[in-house]
Amino acid sequence: MNEKRSVWEYEDIVGRGLLEDLESLAEHIPGSVQHINATYTGGGVAEILSSMIPLFKGLGIETDWNVIRGDDDFFSITKSFHNVLHGRVEDAVDIHAYKHVSVLDDLERQINELNQRKDMLETYLRWNKINSEEMDLDYDVTFVHDPQPAALIDAKQKGNWIWRCHIDVSNPDALVWNFLKESVSKYDASVFSTPLFSRPDLRIRQFLVPPSIDPLSDKNIELSQSEIDSVLDKYEITQDKPIITQISRFDRLKDLPGVIDAYKLVKKRIDCQLILAGGVAADDPEGMGVYHEVMKKADGEADIHVLLGSPPFTDIEINAFQRASTVIMQKSLKEGFGLVVSEGLWKGKPVIGGATGGIPLQIINGVTGYLVHSVEGAAFKIANLLKDPELARKLGENGREHVRNNFLITRHLKDYLLVMLSLEDPSGIIRL
Amino acid sequence: MDFIFHKARYQFELTGKKARDLHEFLAVIKEVNESSIFNHIYHALLDYHLLPLEYPNDFAYWIADVLHEPVLAERLANLDLREFHDLEMLRNRLINIIEDYLAMHDVTSRAGIGQEFHFVRCISVVFPTRYAVTNMNEALDILKEIDLDSIFYYFVASRLLGGGHYRLLSQWILENDSHELMEKLDNLYPYGFANMNDMRNEIIRIIERYFWEHL
């Protein structure tokens, strides 16, 4: 990825002050910067880096983005790492499954598991070593994203190394975390999205940098009404009644049945329609099952549009669904940061979400949307917003401003520059 | 002599300290870095919402929302920050309020998992802006257009966290104008303003009135 992008393309969105600051801060970044993660495409990290790297370059910072390679075994293992670090033991599957070791488990089973895990950990380390031998690691600042490449730190040659953790590791599988911690502890600093996702047992500096959306990406860019109409026509959705939308994978933790139940309660009083649009993660064997359950629950309801993105929806389609909505839902039972909430808020829509993960940072209850704890609570808030368009408009407007100030890529870029500069001096006041 | 306006941007860093109940909270308040106290009390001044938030600082918000102690939260929300000329004074006041409350109330509520209060400190990265002035008239014009982070830096952060630029601003005003104007600006404290824009307007009003009275 060699293209540059000027931060000044964002001037109409964020104003001059921040952009001038980005230029001032960038002048003091020492030398070259590298970002390393596991993939160029797919997933939130790749999406953010796709926007971020050209901006780094546009600021005149010599920046490279490289990904590690590995075989199917390696990526299957790191997927399991992700799941058990994220506290999603139920998602760890097949031969690579990890489980929390319980004192009640019988000894033989524990030994088998530990042996199996030992093989996996060795595979993980072997692929990190292969990558470290193949990659150029001679940079002044190296950001390593998430667990997959974390052990590259063993080949550190120079500069500051920062481990950027995008996932929630507050309640991990102890064995996997302790293994990973061996590597992470060797970094100069770490970065977490929120204090809720951090670790008390990590002795290196821990900075806070929430993730962000790119307002100029296809997923968030302004669309004309004709572009929105064309997407809705394609999926045979009319716009003659208010639309409630949840964009999420077909995953139990997104509580899609709860969204349908809330919709049904509202529908008794107010004519409206519901869009549930999302995909099924390739590594989630339950996904299709959840999709079929949702289809069954929606059966006979003409105004519920259950849309399975296969092939995946384009970013413009997701954008159009959100922009056509009156109310956006993210009624998750468990969530990572849940940036889809910021996507909805940025489009000026009130968002109703579950109070979990990063959602409460984005939904300020009663200001940018509503945090709900039950089907009934969700229904009550949806109905309020459908009955009171002025309230919905006001919350949506607040939400857009909240995202403008806190969750755009330009703020994210500023934070990374500040983290790099903060490493130079632990005193707390850095004078440039 | 030219005066170059500076500003700061802030990066947040976990202190590793957190509290689950009021007793733990008090213990951390007694020892946590000053920049963490500053961050949790003042950062809301730089957050913009079109609707006012119920509590103006993180401490009050958590005590109300998680510990369900609204009386204590209101006391912490209504701190008169004009009383505090340094963060140690502010820390001592927080300690007194909480200890007084604990002496009169049996507070047993405890935050659930994920609801703990995480103490976060802010790192100030201070740098010059492109704005340089030679006299107070020019300074007044710049104050009207410079972004709010600069106002916050000079009139809030630099006075409490250090960084020295408020002192340099004072010296420059004393050299160019008068002790009287500086006294008026010295008496300006951020709470009492709904946001930094209101504070900027008050600074401009003070300077303009001073000029008008001394024409």
Side-chain angles (χ1 to χ4, degrees), chain B residues 148-207:
Chain B
L148 296 174
D149 295 276
S150 270
I151 303 285
F152 181 81
Y153 175 63
Y154 274 100
F155 290 92
V156 182
S158 170
R159 296 166 83 173
L160 290 166
L161 271 181
H165 285 106
Y166 184 73
R167 185 172 42 77
L168 293 176
L169 175 66
S170 302
Q171 283 171 359
W172 186 78
I173 290 177
L174 291 174
E175 285 165 14
N176 283 271
D177 281 277
S178 80
H179 189 71
E180 189 185 333
L181 174 59
M182 201 56 234
E183 260 185 6
K184 288 182 194 296
L185 292 174
D186 267 342
N187 286 327
L188 198 65
Y189 279 87
Y191 269 36
F193 301 108
N195 53 49
M196 290 309 299
N197 209 33
D198 285 0
M199 186 171 183
R200 181 219 301 270
N201 292 337
E202 180 62 12
I203 292 165
I204 290 166
R205 194 189 64 76
I206 288 171
I207 298 174

Side-chain angles (χ1 to χ4, degrees), chain B residues 133-152:
Chain B
V133 295
T134 56
N135 57 55
M136 273 307 291
N137 272 320
E138 287 177 9
L140 187 60
D141 288 339
I142 295 303
L143 282 168
K144 288 176 182 172
E145 68 171 276
I146 202 166
D147 69 26
L148 296 174
D149 295 276
S150 270
I151 303 285
F152 181 81

Side-chain angles (χ1 to χ4, degrees), chain B:
Chain B
M1 186 181 79
D2 280 2
F3 180 81
I4 297 170
F5 278 89
H6 282 65
K7 73 190 298 188
R9 289 284 188 177
Y10 304 93
Q11 180 53 48
F12 302 104
E13 181 178 2
L14 283 170
T15 63
K17 298 179 191 304
K18 62 181 177 180
R20 274 161 291 202
D21 59 36
L22 195 55
H23 298 278
E24 288 181 8
F25 183 81
L26 177 61
V28 180
I29 288 283
K30 287 178 177 176
E31 62 168 22
V32 76
N33 186 291
E34 280 184 353
S35 69
S36 182
I37 303 253
F38 174 84
N39 177 39
H40 292 298
I41 292 286
Y42 287 95
H43 85 83
L45 284 168
L46 277 178
D47 290 343
Y48 314 110
H49 299 295
L50 302 180
L51 297 173
L53 291 177
E54 200 171 357
Y55 296 101
N57 64 64
D58 295 343
F59 295 153
Y61 187 82
W62 182 73
I63 284 169
D65 191 51
V66 175
L67 297 187
H68 308 294
E69 295 289 344
V71 173
L72 177 58
E74 285 171 11
R75 286 179 191 168
L76 293 176
N78 285 299
L79 287 169
D80 184 353
L81 295 183
R82 285 172 300 185
E83 294 173 18
F84 310 112
H85 297 267
D86 64 58
L87 290 167
E88 282 308 311
M89 286 175 72
L90 174 56
R91 184 203 304 273
N92 288 333
R93 182 73 182 128
L94 293 170
I95 291 168
N96 289 342
I97 291 172
I98 298 167
E99 284 182 340
D100 286 352
Y101 189 81
L102 280 170
M104 302 294 290
H105 300 80
D106 184 20
V107 181
T108 56
S109 52
R110 197 168 165 81
I113 291 171
Q115 292 189 305
E116 305 90 343
F117 190 93
H118 293 263
F119 286 82
V120 173
R121 74 167 185 148
C122 60
I123 313 283
S124 312
V125 178
V126 183
F127 53 98
T129 68
R130 61 189 173 87
Y131 297 104
V133 295
T134 56
N135 57 55
M136 273 307 291
N137 272 320
E138 287 177 9
L140 187 60
D141 288 339
I142 295 303
L143 282 168
K144 288 176 182 172
E145 68 171 276
I146 202 166
D147 69 26
L148 296 174
D149 295 276
S150 270
I151 303 285
F152 181 81
Y153 175 63
Y154 274 100
F155 290 92
V156 182
S158 170
R159 296 166 83 173
L160 290 166
L161 271 181
H165 285 106
Y166 184 73
R167 185 172 42 77
L168 293 176
L169 175 66
S170 302
Q171 283 171 359
W172 186 78
I173 290 177
L174 291 174
E175 285 165 14
N176 283 271
D177 281 277
S178 80
H179 189 71
E180 189 185 333
L181 174 59
M182 201 56 234
E183 260 185 6
K184 288 182 194 296
L185 292 174
D186 267 342
N187 286 327
L188 198 65
Y189 279 87
Y191 269 36
F193 301 108
N195 53 49
M196 290 309 299
N197 209 33
D198 285 0
M199 186 171 183
R200 181 219 301 270
N201 292 337
E202 180 62 12
I203 292 165
I204 290 166
R205 194 189 64 76
I206 288 171
I207 298 174
E208 285 180 337
R209 179 185 283 185
Y210 174 83
F211 281 176
W212 178 253
E213 288 170 354
H214 293 80
L215 273 176

